[in-house]
Amino acid sequence: MYKVQWVIWQALLAMLMLTLPADLREQLPAAPSAAPAATSASGAVNGPATAPVKHSSWKTQQEAHEESSKIVYLTFDDGPSKLTSQVLDILEEKKIGATFFVLGQMAKQSPEVIRRIADEGHAIGNHTFNHKYNELYHHFSAFWQQIKQTEEIVREITGSRPQLVRAPGGTFGHFDKNYFKLLKDAGYAVFDWDVDSGDSKRKGVPAAEILSNIQKSPLKDRMVVLLHDGAGHEETVRALPQIISYYQSKGYRFETLTPKTKPVQFKVGGSLPKQRISPSEAWVSTHIVPNAALFANAPALAVAVGSVETRLAAGEYRISEGGAYVVPVRAMMERLGAYVSWNPLRQEAEISWEDHEPLILRPEQFEVQGDAIWMPLRTLLELSGHTIREVSFGDKLRRVQAV
């Protein structure tokens, strides 16, 4: 039937071509292909044999504009909120990418939005857990704790650790040189911004004012733009399509931030907190130094107990001088389905499972490093009633199988 229709179309087109002036003939639509689309058994027209990844649409669009050296990095802070999905809808419609610096407490409440951000190819950055200045900037260890807390929440949702970090309120007046150095040594990339949209200067900044602030900002070849998708920023959502159109009219393309992007960082200054406590060398050696391995290309460690398997990334485990795997007890056991509690009076850890007697770990059985207790993986598994059957090694993965 399709081929008959095609033949009729060709005949009609030929007749029209004879009656039209030459300058109008080129405006006629081309005839459809004689080869029909593949159909399923039900008669529905099929798409490609392999469905494209959802986020490839805006990335493909960007590849078509690679010739432009002028780049804008749109960044959104304080989400996710109910507004984040609206922002994502606009970005999807416009086929551009952005970077979302998320709060841990909000990510925990809306994991489905975090998954959508990741699935659609946008970048996720760490904006601490609760955004409270009085908790974050008096000593680095408190800032670090919130970074790690949020990092773990995002990892559990997406399977990846955010390496990008943005300080609530920006680094000026908050970060000293030590904050910058410790985060860099730990493997993180800290980003401030070039362009402040002003959408958080006060409550309810109108969309017209947000756009005006953008347009008044000096243009550079590469710019990081500060926006917000947290609660109360409906006007930012309203202004977003116009912001995108403005930069496109100036010849800019949009990209997501990566750890390799040259960071935008404010100079150290302002009213830094007085009597700030610096971390000790011992704290740095047990927290900062191992953390950098999380973002290295070292092999992960897969541990399978029966049909349950989990993985520790490089930096989440270490190898002793004798060649034994040493693991953090809580992270290891809770990922395998157990529950770990700590008794501060007795300095003991209790591991419990359903239908199993609790296992008590006493101080002589483990070592304390920072906020975690560590012990050899083999010892931990054997005390839990499991026997290692096989150990294998690879360039990207080390594997331990137990029963």
Side-chain angles (χ1 to χ4, degrees):
M1 179 65 183
Y2 186 93
K3 289 184 177 180
V4 173
Q5 292 176 337
W6 179 76
V7 171
I8 295 173
W9 171 264
Q10 289 279 49
L12 290 173
L13 184 59
M15 294 173 63
L16 285 171
M17 291 289 285
L18 294 175
T19 59
L20 286 175
D23 60 340
L24 293 180
R25 293 175 188 173
E26 296 181 356
Q27 299 180 26
L28 285 174
S33 170
T39 57
S40 67
S42 63
V45 177
N46 292 332
T50 302
V53 178
K54 188 174 183 181
H55 68 247
S56 66
S57 58
W58 72 258
K59 289 190 174 182
T60 302
Q61 183 84 356
Q62 290 301 96
E63 290 172 359
H65 296 85
E66 286 293 324
E67 67 276 5
S68 174
S69 61
K70 299 193 298 183
I71 301 172
V72 167
Y73 302 93
L74 295 180
T75 64
F76 296 87
D77 288 11
D78 299 352
S81 73
K82 293 181 179 179
L83 300 175
T84 306
S85 294
Q86 298 178 40
V87 171
L88 290 169
D89 289 343
I90 294 170
L91 296 176
E92 185 175 26
E93 178 186 351
K94 300 292 185 179
K95 292 183 171 52
I96 65 172
T99 303
F100 292 81
F101 287 96
V102 303
L103 293 172
Q105 63 180 2
M106 304 307 297
K108 197 172 184 179
Q109 293 175 20
S110 302
E112 72 286 351
V113 181
I114 297 296
R115 278 192 292 271
R116 181 182 173 189
I117 293 172
D119 288 346
E120 295 185 1
H122 305 290
I124 296 177
N126 194 324
H127 201 42
T128 75
F129 183 79
N130 64 16
H131 206 282
K132 294 182 179 179
Y133 295 3
N134 62 334
E135 296 181 17
L136 294 168
Y137 298 125
H138 283 288
H139 51 91
F140 180 81
S141 60
F143 186 90
W144 175 265
Q145 183 179 7
Q146 289 207 25
I147 289 294
K148 297 304 293 182
Q149 187 177 6
T150 298
E151 179 180 309
E152 189 63 19
I153 291 170
V154 174
R155 185 199 66 79
E156 289 178 353
I157 297 170
T158 67
S160 299
R161 296 176 179 276
Q163 198 171 351
L164 310 176
V165 170
R166 173 169 286 167
T171 61
F172 185 78
H174 297 138
F175 273 27
D176 54 26
K177 291 182 179 179
N178 203 37
Y179 268 64
F180 279 115
K181 181 181 184 304
L182 291 174
L183 287 170
K184 181 179 180 181
D185 290 347
Y188 298 108
V190 177
F191 283 89
D192 286 308
W193 53 87
D194 300 291
V195 179
D196 185 352
S197 69
D199 65 347
S200 64
K201 295 296 184 183
R202 64 184 188 279
K203 186 176 181 180
V205 179
E209 183 176 333
I210 295 171
L211 179 61
S212 176
N213 291 334
I214 293 286
Q215 294 172 334
K216 290 177 182 177
S217 299
L219 296 175
K220 299 189 295 185
D221 283 347
R222 297 193 175 209
M223 294 181 295
V224 177
V225 179
L226 173 65
L227 298 158
H228 292 80
D229 63 325
H233 286 90
E234 290 83 358
E235 291 297 298
T236 301
V237 179
R238 287 186 59 195
L240 182 56
Q242 294 171 287
I243 293 172
I244 294 170
S245 296
Y246 168 72
Y247 283 121
Q248 287 176 332
S249 72
K250 299 297 182 180
Y252 284 86
R253 60 188 170 96
F254 298 85
E255 288 191 4
T256 59
L257 294 174
T258 76
K260 295 182 179 181
T261 305
K262 184 178 179 180
V264 175
Q265 296 175 350
F266 300 146
K267 293 182 178 180
V268 173
S271 301
L272 295 172
K274 297 179 180 179
Q275 299 179 338
R276 175 176 279 172
I277 303 172
S278 297
S280 65
E281 290 184 9
W283 188 93
V284 171
S285 67
T286 58
H287 290 77
I288 302 300
V289 176
N291 197 83
L294 293 172
F295 305 108
N297 292 322
L301 173 63
V303 180
V305 179
S307 61
V308 180
E309 180 175 320
T310 188
R311 293 190 182 189
L312 296 178
E316 289 186 304
Y317 72 95
R318 56 188 174 84
I319 300 176
S320 70
E321 292 182 359
Y325 294 128
V326 183
V327 298
V329 173
R330 181 185 295 275
M332 183 79 264
M333 299 310 294
E334 290 192 346
R335 292 184 193 179
L336 289 173
Y339 176 76
V340 181
S341 59
W342 175 252
N343 187 323
L345 296 177
R346 295 185 177 183
Q347 295 291 292
E348 295 177 346
E350 179 179 298
I351 304 175
S352 56
W353 305 260
E354 292 183 4
D355 304 325
H356 284 77
E357 288 293 325
L359 170 64
I360 305 298
L361 298 179
R362 294 178 172 80
E364 62 270 18
Q365 295 175 299
F366 56 78
E367 58 178 303
V368 178
Q369 285 193 359
D371 305 324
I373 60 173
W374 293 65
M375 63 188 301
L377 175 61
R378 182 179 293 275
T379 303
L380 179 59
L381 291 176
E382 289 178 350
L383 289 173
S384 305
H386 302 289
T387 303
I388 294 178
R389 294 297 190 192
E390 183 181 355
V391 178
S392 59
F393 308 90
D395 293 337
K396 296 184 178 180
L397 183 67
R398 296 173 172 138
R399 184 177 179 82
V400 174
Q401 177 71 54
V403 293

